[in-house]
Amino acid sequence: MSNSYGKLFKITTFGESHGAAVGVIVDGCPAGLEISVDEIQHALDRRRPGQSDITTPRKEEDRVTILSGIFEGKTTGTPIALVVNNKDQHSHDYSHIEHAFRPSHADYTYTAKYGARDYRGGGRSSARETVARVAAGALAAKLLQHYGISVQSYVSQVGSIKLRKPYQELDLSQIDSNKVRCPDGATAARMIGLIEEARDTLDTIGGVVSCVIQGVPAGLGEPVFDKLHAELGKAMLSINAVKGFEYGSGFEGVKMRGSEHNDEFYTDEQGNVRTRTNNSGGIQGGISNGQDIYFNVAFKPVATILQPQTTINDAGEEITLKGKGRHDPCVLPRAVPIVDAMAALVIADFLLRQRANKV
Amino acid sequence: MSNSYGKLFKITTFGESHGAAVGVIVDGCPAGLEISVDEIQHALDRRRPGQSDITTPRKEEDRVTILSGIFEGKTTGTPIALVVNNKDQHSHDYSHIEHAFRPSHADYTYTAKYGARDYRGGGRSSARETVARVAAGALAAKLLQHYGISVQSYVSQVGSIKLRKPYQELDLSQIDSNKVRCPDGATAARMIGLIEEARDTLDTIGGVVSCVIQGVPAGLGEPVFDKLHAELGKAMLSINAVKGFEYGSGFEGVKMRGSEHNDEFYTDEQGNVRTRTNNSGGIQGGISNGQDIYFNVAFKPVATILQPQTTINDAGEEITLKGKGRHDPCVLPRAVPIVDAMAALVIADFLLRQRANKV
Amino acid sequence: MSNSYGKLFKITTFGESHGAAVGVIVDGCPAGLEISVDEIQHALDRRRPGQSDITTPRKEEDRVTILSGIFEGKTTGTPIALVVNNKDQHSHDYSHIEHAFRPSHADYTYTAKYGARDYRGGGRSSARETVARVAAGALAAKLLQHYGISVQSYVSQVGSIKLRKPYQELDLSQIDSNKVRCPDGATAARMIGLIEEARDTLDTIGGVVSCVIQGVPAGLGEPVFDKLHAELGKAMLSINAVKGFEYGSGFEGVKMRGSEHNDEFYTDEQGNVRTRTNNSGGIQGGISNGQDIYFNVAFKPVATILQPQTTINDAGEEITLKGKGRHDPCVLPRAVPIVDAMAALVIADFLLRQRANKV
Amino acid sequence: MSNSYGKLFKITTFGESHGAAVGVIVDGCPAGLEISVDEIQHALDRRRPGQSDITTPRKEEDRVTILSGIFEGKTTGTPIALVVNNKDQHSHDYSHIEHAFRPSHADYTYTAKYGARDYRGGGRSSARETVARVAAGALAAKLLQHYGISVQSYVSQVGSIKLRKPYQELDLSQIDSNKVRCPDGATAARMIGLIEEARDTLDTIGGVVSCVIQGVPAGLGEPVFDKLHAELGKAMLSINAVKGFEYGSGFEGVKMRGSEHNDEFYTDEQGNVRTRTNNSGGIQGGISNGQDIYFNVAFKPVATILQPQTTINDAGEEITLKGKGRHDPCVLPRAVPIVDAMAALVIADFLLRQRANKV
């Protein structure tokens, strides 16, 4: 198990989907940061189930409690423990999945790894674990805000419906203006239609979240292994259902010539170093260059579908399984605050690490 | 700086492109592994400059020396230091780049980060650092071989020329049969033509390396943060010029429905758990499931081009810069052994970590 | 802040003395270990305030709750969160210490480090944090028990009253037979008398805890930096009020000649490698040699005394301060389970780490 | 194996006593520090064998080479590799120890741990490994000097001959004025006599090194686990032959009452917070308080003696063994620069870590 992330701004999460609680310890948040429980709750509310008819209709309030590390409205430098109790963790019937290996779930791999598993829902492999990340991310985002850095994610693709506009042509203040969290209204409407169709056919659909980070000073990232984009990639790939990560020109950039792809430097009127294009995605040699950072994260379709599927049980026998209960037909709208959280955690960590690099 | 990678099988690299040497300490290689200097040298020879007319014509022998940790042909459990001396590190003239910020290089970001930089070539940001990774990767690959695990990478795309066949239809023993390291002869010929054209027009071109890992037992990977694919992603993204990573169905998979994408389990005739499709890329919930692992890595076009480019110097003044010397028109053929090395290091580390997971 | 300890069997603690709760996440406890909440509670009961008239008369029940990681009576390999709520955390009056720097407390240093501090009691610097360690240590001890390893600590010195017998001449089953936790009844009685005298004169007194670890196989410890005794030393020195650590012959051993000090090897009747003496304390070159491990830990007198003392406030002004409330006149009896816990955590971690050392 | 130390100022060492070389990578030394090879060499010269007739008469020059990380006389922020070649590593005859388990050496434990060992001398368990520490320590010491911090160690005890004066009464500039490195001439003479007597009787003798660190600002140290004294303790205990560590009042302090032991605060004429006594050894709650830090380190007598000893071989058979060659009768004089190095490394690391603790 490895349930910690970050080197100086470090989080450690715990909790199963149907256990008593999920939570996080944030160790290394600098002292003196003003933060209220409401700010953390606000981030959790964006991730909460039941927020619209294209997400799971499960009703969970996900109220966060602060157990330590914040005193008189400010961080003290000591570890901050945040806990969210699970509702009704004892009331469900898991007999249909206790012995089943659900297709494209982690039932089989957890059993292979640990010899047994908590079969109540996804247990530790459930995306419910991301509650803890979002809570911790709210602290990181507050730290970034203190230094003038913003993180903004949005849904840029659902199935084959792709938002073609680059982020510069979008109004990112509109991300939360619709239930799919795509800041382009027309595209959002089409995405919503596609998700509804998937839902109504008892199926699910994947998509892409794009993220833009602005205000990052030049110099963040720790080569040669902890390059800024390498940590962003790891952080994103650690989120449930993620299948790919690209930044700047990404996979499309491989088709370009160096003469097209290179970002020429210039000095702007304020005397700042800037680049005329930004195929680098704000990162060169693994270090931020002061331009906007942007990247894409691919999410597969949710594995739980309400149709019958053939699979095996833990005795190796073929069985037919059908999803029960209330599940997301598309994870994308609720993935947005999770991408925001992980991105904020990565940048916060590098912000602190950079302080050690010069005499 | 963060020049270490791995938790139990850990490497720490050092060295600048034009300093005295590059090298690596491997700490945590299990005792009792048979390894010869020739096996390490063989891996380095696949990465070596000057190996063909579509790579840099620089001649460097890159001879490796073992300074510690191997005794009587076997690892002893103590740290293994491997060093490769640089040739001619004092003979060059760097006056044209001493003060320049080359486009899409790390000159500006290293200066922003550290206050100054070693301006002899790329210094620490040069891909010459990967010599150390490849040497260490040879040790990891030997460990994997001991456990029946193989790692095989190949070039699957150069520019817009893409190998459409999945790896199952390729003869991976043919990877080294041509100079571009694409196991499909016809596609390889087209890729070589494209690289030659880029070279002859004083330009560069990007591409994709695909990697297949076979023989990995179910159970490797350490959720929730050190998921197997998250570490593979970080390891790949830490390689110079990499812009993206996807595994299994990747970015294309987002277009699929859950009912198509899910990999149904079955029990094969030998009683092994298997899946009928492998959109999961051999990894579910961040843990290997015993099927083949496969992923793609996107490389941008090399930033150094032999055409004039406009940029600025460290005083902020606009200058014109033209690449000198001998550079790769396409990094892909030489990137293959680097992807092999990093993949082997990731798997080796998880192989050791898995030993601690059960009573 | 650094609130994590251990590399594979890793704990992360949180909580202030007068905050909502203290607790711990144990990440890396192997799956399949049987453990009950009662076993954890039993360890906490040995540490609990109010257990005798020579410890603090504060009444705290310190009931532990398991939030995750244990399912159907066994560990699952996922992180185990343990929480102990604090009682009455809002009811106290801290006005007398809000601005004071208490002598030999951490008030000044926390303020210097973080710019401010949680002034309710010791905050994070309070020994209440060790509740979390003891809870986690119970898990580690259970793992050790599974492998036939025992950890037994006892009070060997209070003030100048020193138990002269080596551990081999003691009946370690008698440790809990008296309230000072010294297994020699006569010495225990004298120690108790001394603590009572200190208490009655509104003063405090220091002492030494000795620890014996039996059943450790040869091979544990990770040179050159994570030597077995180096980690034991760090773990002990991280406990509140500890001033020194020595193992085997310790500080007395420096007076010996090599010819006296060396432990000659022999083969016993069962064919086991053994040493005739054990000045090495069971550790050679930082690695266990299969003999008993033993060490001593020095604790200073408790800093809070009920007499007036001169000191300064955070404005730098001289003030007179007098301890209030209910405090331990001697920390030693309650330190025993804390030493047990930290020793168990160290050995458990090395037990897991050793699994990675051979092909 | 664990051959790395430090979190931000991190060293990784390699090399066996009779292999090709020993060396170190320093990762995390801040950029912009001026350092010359002579400064590193000077530290190594204090540790070098053959420096006097009370140390081993082996002649080794121990010339250091810088392979990376320093450019134009300054650190660049990239990893600094330092290598010292071993002399004559192939010329010796080890047949007498190839199969022997030398008493109180690590021959048996390394074999138990790794299944085999490099039997040429002590291999990795030899104190020759500390060459790497001393080289790295010179960099750390230079960084400390930049911030006005000094580290000074000296021999305070050999056998039963103990320097009774506290460090405040000594002239620490006289540490190197005699060959035993005790700054009190009269005591030094007695120590030297005792070492000569041990040497002449083919025996060895232990002792204590004391260390004083001055100029450390208040605020260094990372509770609750990485307390300043806990890391100092671990660092010291990781040095070959060390058996104990105590700081401030140490083991003697346990005899004191709280009322005696507590260090009262006052404000000095310059307005600085100070303590009237310093039983705390400059550290309270694991954090420096701005007063002098001081501690003691106990070294056992060297295990290699030139007298015959009974032991066993790796077949479990009893054998008689006699040390050959040239060995130190007392490790203390040469241990002084090693204690200096490790102390400097600990403080340098905490200096950098402290930068992350406040907004």
Side-chain angles (χ1 to χ4, degrees):
Chain A
M1 266 285 150
S2 177
N3 296 285
S4 295
Y5 189 74
K7 191 173 163 86
L8 293 183
F9 195 108
K10 190 166 75 166
I11 68 170
T12 303
T13 72
F14 69 88
E16 284 80 47
S17 58
H18 293 73
V22 292
V24 63
I25 301 177
V26 180
D27 194 13
C29 186
L33 183 70
E34 285 191 44
I35 185 87
S36 71
V37 70
D38 289 346
E39 291 169 292
I40 303 169
Q41 189 62 51
H42 175 72
L44 287 172
D45 289 347
R46 292 185 79 213
R47 186 211 161 276
R48 190 166 51 82
Q51 59 186 268
S52 82
D53 60 3
I54 57 167
T55 64
T56 170
R58 281 196 312 276
K59 286 285 178 204
E60 290 181 79
E61 288 208 1
D62 288 351
R63 303 304 303 177
V64 67
T65 304
I66 300 172
L67 293 186
S68 65
I70 296 174
F71 181 59
E72 299 184 338
K74 287 188 178 179
T75 57
T76 60
T78 65
I80 300 164
L82 306 173
V83 175
V84 173
N85 290 326
N86 291 330
K87 272 180 65 179
D88 302 330
Q89 70 264 27
H90 300 301
S91 62
H92 297 292
D93 173 18
Y94 305 101
S95 56
H96 66 304
I97 56 169
E98 177 173 352
H99 297 289
F101 294 148
R102 289 171 296 164
S104 291
H105 272 276
D107 301 335
Y108 170 63
T109 55
Y110 268 68
T111 304
K113 184 171 192 67
Y114 298 113
R117 73 176 200 281
D118 181 342
Y119 52 75
R120 300 169 300 171
R124 184 67 181 154
S125 74
S126 164
R128 184 146 185 83
E129 180 267 336
T130 59
V131 165
R133 301 181 184 210
V134 170
L139 284 163
K142 192 71 193 291
L143 184 69
L144 298 192
Q145 185 187 318
H146 182 83
Y147 291 104
I149 301 167
S150 68
V151 175
Q152 288 169 290
S153 304
Y154 58 93
V155 176
S156 61
Q157 185 172 349
V158 173
S160 297
I161 299 172
K162 193 167 181 173
L163 177 58
R164 299 278 162 192
K165 293 178 191 164
Y167 74 89
Q168 294 92 337
E169 298 172 20
L170 300 170
D171 178 358
L172 298 182
S173 73
Q174 296 305 303
I175 292 172
D176 279 354
S177 69
N178 58 62
K179 58 191 176 188
V180 77
R181 293 202 168 96
C182 171
D184 183 80
T187 309
R190 294 173 57 218
M191 289 172 170
I192 292 167
L194 179 58
I195 296 172
E196 288 171 343
E197 187 242 283
R199 180 195 63 198
D200 296 346
T201 55
L202 308 181
D203 216 331
T204 59
I205 187 78
V208 173
V209 171
S210 295
C211 181
V212 182
I213 313 176
Q214 295 177 303
V216 176
L220 304 199
E222 299 290 328
V224 295
F225 292 108
D226 295 356
K227 286 174 172 155
L228 179 43
H229 58 271
E231 281 300 336
L232 283 171
K234 176 178 171 178
M236 296 306 141
L237 288 157
S238 78
I239 299 172
N240 305 53
V242 172
K243 302 291 288 190
F245 170 87
E246 60 179 4
Y247 78 104
S249 60
F251 275 89
E252 279 303 301
V254 309
K255 300 176 185 165
M256 296 167 81
R257 301 295 164 107
S259 55
E260 298 169 82
H261 192 273
N262 283 351
D263 296 320
E264 295 193 350
F265 286 105
Y266 71 101
T267 307
D268 73 8
E269 290 175 2
Q270 288 75 42
N272 299 313
V273 172
R274 300 186 58 82
T275 60
R276 295 196 189 277
T277 50
N278 188 12
N279 289 309
S280 299
I283 304 171
Q284 292 174 324
I287 301 168
S288 62
N289 68 358
Q291 307 307 297
D292 293 347
I293 293 170
Y294 66 97
F295 58 83
N296 296 320
V297 188
F299 289 80
K300 69 169 187 175
V302 174
T304 299
I305 57 176
L306 302 182
Q307 308 171 28
Q309 297 178 92
T310 303
T311 188
I312 59 173
N313 62 19
D314 55 17
E317 301 158 340
E318 192 173 296
I319 57 171
T320 297
L321 193 75
K322 203 174 96 174
K324 291 205 296 190
R326 297 155 300 175
H327 298 276
D328 288 278
C330 178
V331 82
L332 274 290
R334 293 176 58 213
V336 164
I338 306 169
V339 169
D340 279 344
M342 293 308 299
L345 288 163
V346 169
I347 302 297
D349 196 37
F350 281 125
L351 203 61
L352 298 181
R353 291 173 76 175
Q354 173 59 4
R355 295 183 181 177
N357 280 312
K358 289 186 241 183
V359 167
Chain B
M1 266 285 151
S2 178
N3 296 284
S4 294
Y5 188 76
K7 190 171 164 87
L8 292 183
F9 194 108
K10 189 166 73 164
I11 67 169
T12 304
T13 71
F14 68 88
E16 283 80 48
S17 59
H18 293 72
V22 292
V24 62
I25 300 177
V26 180
D27 195 13
C29 185
L33 182 71
E34 286 191 42
I35 185 87
S36 70
V37 70
D38 288 347
E39 291 170 292
I40 303 169
Q41 189 62 51
H42 175 71
L44 288 172
D45 289 347
R46 292 185 80 213
R47 187 210 161 278
R48 188 166 53 81
Q51 58 186 266
S52 82
D53 60 2
I54 58 167
T55 63
T56 170
R58 281 198 313 275
K59 285 286 177 201
E60 289 182 82
E61 289 208 358
D62 288 351
R63 303 302 304 176
V64 66
T65 303
I66 300 171
L67 293 185
S68 65
I70 296 175
F71 181 59
E72 299 183 338
K74 288 188 178 179
T75 57
T76 60
T78 63
I80 300 164
L82 306 173
V83 175
V84 173
N85 289 325
N86 291 330
K87 273 179 65 179
D88 303 331
Q89 72 264 25
H90 298 302
S91 60
H92 298 291
D93 174 17
Y94 304 102
S95 56
H96 66 303
I97 57 169
E98 177 172 351
H99 297 289
F101 294 149
R102 290 171 296 166
S104 292
H105 272 275
D107 301 334
Y108 170 63
T109 55
Y110 268 67
T111 304
K113 184 170 192 67
Y114 297 113
R117 74 176 199 281
D118 180 343
Y119 52 76
R120 299 169 301 171
R124 183 66 182 155
S125 75
S126 164
R128 183 147 186 83
E129 181 267 336
T130 60
V131 165
R133 301 182 184 209
V134 170
L139 283 162
K142 192 69 194 290
L143 184 69
L144 297 192
Q145 185 187 317
H146 182 83
Y147 292 103
I149 301 167
S150 68
V151 175
Q152 287 169 290
S153 303
Y154 59 92
V155 175
S156 60
Q157 186 172 348
V158 173
S160 297
I161 300 172
K162 193 167 180 173
L163 177 58
R164 299 277 163 194
K165 294 178 192 164
Y167 73 89
Q168 295 91 337
E169 297 173 22
L170 300 171
D171 178 358
L172 299 182
S173 72
Q174 296 305 302
I175 292 172
D176 279 355
S177 69
N178 57 62
K179 59 192 177 188
V180 78
R181 293 202 169 97
C182 171
D184 183 79
T187 309
R190 294 173 57 218
M191 289 173 171
I192 291 167
L194 180 57
I195 296 172
E196 287 171 343
E197 187 242 283
R199 180 196 62 197
D200 296 346
T201 55
L202 307 181
D203 216 330
T204 61
I205 186 79
V208 174
V209 171
S210 295
C211 180
V212 182
I213 313 177
Q214 295 176 304
V216 176
L220 304 200
E222 300 290 328
V224 297
F225 292 108
D226 296 355
K227 286 174 172 153
L228 179 43
H229 57 272
E231 281 299 336
L232 283 171
K234 176 177 171 180
M236 296 306 141
L237 288 156
S238 77
I239 299 172
N240 305 56
V242 172
K243 302 291 288 189
F245 170 86
E246 60 179 4
Y247 78 105
S249 61
F251 275 89
E252 278 303 302
V254 309
K255 300 176 185 166
M256 296 167 81
R257 300 294 163 107
S259 55
E260 298 170 82
H261 191 273
N262 282 352
D263 296 319
E264 294 193 350
F265 286 105
Y266 71 102
T267 307
D268 72 9
E269 291 175 3
Q270 287 76 43
N272 299 312
V273 173
R274 300 184 59 82
T275 60
R276 294 195 189 278
T277 50
N278 188 12
N279 288 310
S280 299
I283 304 172
Q284 292 174 325
I287 300 169
S288 62
N289 67 359
Q291 307 307 296
D292 292 347
I293 293 169
Y294 65 96
F295 58 83
N296 297 319
V297 187
F299 288 81
K300 70 170 186 173
V302 174
T304 300
I305 56 176
L306 302 182
Q307 308 171 28
Q309 296 179 92
T310 303
T311 190
I312 59 173
N313 62 20
D314 54 17
E317 301 158 341
E318 190 173 299
I319 57 170
T320 298
L321 192 75
K322 203 173 97 173
K324 291 205 296 190
R326 296 155 301 174
H327 297 277
D328 287 278
C330 178
V331 81
L332 275 290
R334 292 176 59 212
V336 165
I338 305 169
V339 169
D340 279 344
M342 292 309 299
L345 288 162
V346 169
I347 303 296
D349 196 37
F350 281 124
L351 202 61
L352 298 180
R353 291 173 75 175
Q354 172 59 5
R355 295 183 182 176
N357 280 313
K358 289 185 242 183
V359 167
Chain C
M1 266 286 151
S2 177
N3 295 284
S4 294
Y5 189 76
K7 191 173 164 85
L8 293 182
F9 195 109
K10 189 166 76 164
I11 68 170
T12 304
T13 72
F14 69 88
E16 284 80 47
S17 59
H18 294 72
V22 292
V24 63
I25 300 177
V26 180
D27 194 13
C29 186
L33 183 71
E34 285 190 43
I35 185 87
S36 70
V37 71
D38 290 347
E39 291 169 291
I40 303 169
Q41 190 61 53
H42 175 72
L44 287 172
D45 289 347
R46 293 185 77 212
R47 186 211 160 278
R48 189 166 52 83
Q51 60 186 265
S52 82
D53 61 1
I54 58 168
T55 62
T56 169
R58 282 197 313 276
K59 285 286 176 202
E60 290 182 78
E61 288 209 0
D62 288 352
R63 303 302 304 177
V64 67
T65 303
I66 301 171
L67 293 186
S68 66
I70 296 174
F71 181 59
E72 299 185 338
K74 287 187 178 179
T75 57
T76 60
T78 64
I80 301 163
L82 306 173
V83 174
V84 173
N85 289 324
N86 290 331
K87 273 180 63 179
D88 303 329
Q89 70 265 25
H90 299 301
S91 62
H92 298 292
D93 173 19
Y94 305 102
S95 57
H96 66 302
I97 57 169
E98 178 172 350
H99 297 287
F101 294 148
R102 290 171 294 165
S104 291
H105 272 275
D107 301 334
Y108 171 63
T109 55
Y110 267 67
T111 304
K113 184 170 192 66
Y114 298 112
R117 72 176 201 281
D118 180 343
Y119 52 76
R120 299 168 301 170
R124 184 66 182 154
S125 74
S126 163
R128 182 143 186 86
E129 180 267 336
T130 60
V131 165
R133 302 181 183 210
V134 170
L139 282 164
K142 192 69 195 292
L143 183 70
L144 297 191
Q145 185 188 318
H146 182 84
Y147 291 104
I149 301 168
S150 68
V151 175
Q152 288 169 289
S153 303
Y154 57 93
V155 174
S156 61
Q157 186 171 348
V158 173
S160 298
I161 299 172
K162 192 169 182 171
L163 177 57
R164 300 278 162 193
K165 292 178 191 163
Y167 74 88
Q168 295 91 336
E169 297 174 21
L170 299 171
D171 178 358
L172 298 182
S173 72
Q174 297 305 302
I175 291 172
D176 279 354
S177 69
N178 59 62
K179 59 191 177 189
V180 78
R181 294 203 167 94
C182 171
D184 183 80
T187 310
R190 294 173 56 220
M191 289 173 170
I192 292 166
L194 180 57
I195 296 172
E196 288 171 343
E197 187 242 283
R199 180 195 62 196
D200 296 346
T201 55
L202 307 181
D203 216 330
T204 60
I205 187 78
V208 174
V209 171
S210 295
C211 180
V212 182
I213 313 177
Q214 294 177 304
V216 177
L220 303 199
E222 300 290 329
V224 294
F225 291 108
D226 295 356
K227 286 174 172 155
L228 179 43
H229 58 270
E231 281 299 337
L232 284 171
K234 176 177 171 179
M236 297 305 141
L237 289 156
S238 77
I239 299 171
N240 305 53
V242 171
K243 303 290 288 190
F245 170 86
E246 61 179 3
Y247 77 105
S249 62
F251 275 90
E252 278 304 300
V254 309
K255 300 176 186 166
M256 295 166 80
R257 302 294 163 106
S259 55
E260 298 170 83
H261 192 272
N262 283 352
D263 296 320
E264 296 193 349
F265 286 105
Y266 72 101
T267 308
D268 73 8
E269 290 175 2
Q270 287 74 43
N272 299 313
V273 172
R274 299 187 59 81
T275 61
R276 295 195 189 279
T277 50
N278 188 12
N279 288 311
S280 300
I283 303 171
Q284 292 174 325
I287 301 168
S288 62
N289 67 359
Q291 308 306 296
D292 292 347
I293 293 170
Y294 65 97
F295 59 82
N296 297 320
V297 187
F299 289 81
K300 70 170 187 175
V302 174
T304 299
I305 57 177
L306 302 182
Q307 307 172 29
Q309 298 178 92
T310 304
T311 188
I312 60 174
N313 61 20
D314 54 17
E317 301 158 341
E318 191 173 296
I319 58 171
T320 297
L321 194 74
K322 203 173 96 171
K324 289 206 296 192
R326 299 155 298 176
H327 297 277
D328 288 277
C330 178
V331 83
L332 275 288
R334 291 177 59 213
V336 164
I338 306 169
V339 170
D340 279 344
M342 292 308 299
L345 287 162
V346 169
I347 302 297
D349 196 37
F350 282 125
L351 204 60
L352 297 181
R353 291 173 75 176
Q354 172 59 6
R355 295 182 182 177
N357 281 313
K358 289 187 240 182
V359 168
Chain D
M1 265 286 152
S2 178
N3 296 284
S4 294
Y5 189 76
K7 191 172 163 87
L8 293 183
F9 195 109
K10 190 166 75 164
I11 66 169
T12 304
T13 72
F14 69 88
E16 284 79 48
S17 59
H18 293 71
V22 292
V24 63
I25 300 177
V26 180
D27 194 14
C29 185
L33 183 70
E34 285 191 44
I35 185 86
S36 70
V37 70
D38 288 348
E39 291 169 292
I40 303 169
Q41 189 62 52
H42 175 72
L44 287 173
D45 290 347
R46 291 185 79 213
R47 187 211 159 277
R48 188 166 53 82
Q51 61 187 264
S52 82
D53 60 2
I54 58 168
T55 63
T56 168
R58 280 197 313 277
K59 285 288 177 201
E60 291 181 80
E61 289 209 358
D62 288 351
R63 304 301 304 177
V64 67
T65 303
I66 300 171
L67 294 186
S68 66
I70 296 174
F71 181 59
E72 299 184 336
K74 287 189 178 177
T75 57
T76 60
T78 65
I80 301 164
L82 306 173
V83 175
V84 173
N85 290 323
N86 289 331
K87 273 179 63 179
D88 303 328
Q89 70 265 27
H90 299 299
S91 63
H92 298 292
D93 173 19
Y94 304 102
S95 57
H96 67 302
I97 57 170
E98 177 172 351
H99 297 288
F101 293 149
R102 289 171 296 165
S104 291
H105 273 275
D107 301 335
Y108 170 64
T109 54
Y110 268 67
T111 304
K113 185 170 190 66
Y114 298 113
R117 73 177 200 280
D118 180 343
Y119 52 76
R120 298 168 301 169
R124 184 67 181 154
S125 74
S126 163
R128 182 145 186 83
E129 180 267 337
T130 59
V131 165
R133 302 181 183 210
V134 170
L139 283 163
K142 192 69 194 291
L143 183 69
L144 298 192
Q145 185 187 317
H146 182 84
Y147 291 103
I149 302 168
S150 68
V151 175
Q152 288 169 290
S153 303
Y154 58 92
V155 175
S156 61
Q157 186 172 349
V158 173
S160 298
I161 299 171
K162 193 168 181 172
L163 178 57
R164 300 277 162 195
K165 293 178 191 165
Y167 75 89
Q168 296 89 337
E169 298 173 21
L170 299 171
D171 178 358
L172 298 182
S173 73
Q174 297 305 301
I175 292 172
D176 279 355
S177 69
N178 58 61
K179 58 191 177 186
V180 78
R181 293 203 167 95
C182 171
D184 183 79
T187 309
R190 293 173 57 220
M191 289 173 171
I192 291 166
L194 180 57
I195 296 172
E196 289 171 341
E197 188 242 284
R199 181 195 63 197
D200 296 345
T201 55
L202 309 181
D203 216 330
T204 61
I205 186 80
V208 174
V209 170
S210 295
C211 180
V212 182
I213 313 177
Q214 295 177 304
V216 176
L220 303 199
E222 299 291 329
V224 295
F225 292 109
D226 296 355
K227 287 174 173 154
L228 178 43
H229 57 271
E231 281 298 337
L232 283 170
K234 175 177 171 179
M236 297 306 142
L237 288 156
S238 77
I239 300 172
N240 305 55
V242 171
K243 303 291 288 189
F245 170 86
E246 61 179 3
Y247 78 104
S249 61
F251 276 89
E252 278 303 302
V254 309
K255 301 176 185 165
M256 295 166 80
R257 301 294 164 108
S259 56
E260 299 169 82
H261 191 273
N262 282 352
D263 296 320
E264 295 192 350
F265 286 104
Y266 72 101
T267 306
D268 73 9
E269 291 175 3
Q270 287 74 44
N272 300 312
V273 173
R274 300 186 58 83
T275 61
R276 294 195 189 278
T277 50
N278 188 12
N279 289 310
S280 300
I283 304 171
Q284 291 172 327
I287 301 167
S288 62
N289 67 358
Q291 308 306 297
D292 293 347
I293 293 170
Y294 65 97
F295 59 83
N296 296 320
V297 187
F299 289 80
K300 70 170 187 174
V302 174
T304 300
I305 57 176
L306 302 181
Q307 308 172 28
Q309 296 179 91
T310 302
T311 189
I312 59 173
N313 62 20
D314 54 18
E317 301 159 340
E318 191 172 300
I319 57 171
T320 298
L321 193 75
K322 203 173 98 171
K324 289 206 296 190
R326 297 155 300 176
H327 297 276
D328 288 277
C330 178
V331 82
L332 274 291
R334 293 176 59 212
V336 164
I338 306 170
V339 169
D340 279 344
M342 292 308 300
L345 288 163
V346 169
I347 302 297
D349 196 38
F350 281 124
L351 203 60
L352 297 181
R353 291 173 75 175
Q354 172 59 5
R355 294 182 182 178
N357 280 313
K358 289 186 240 184
V359 168

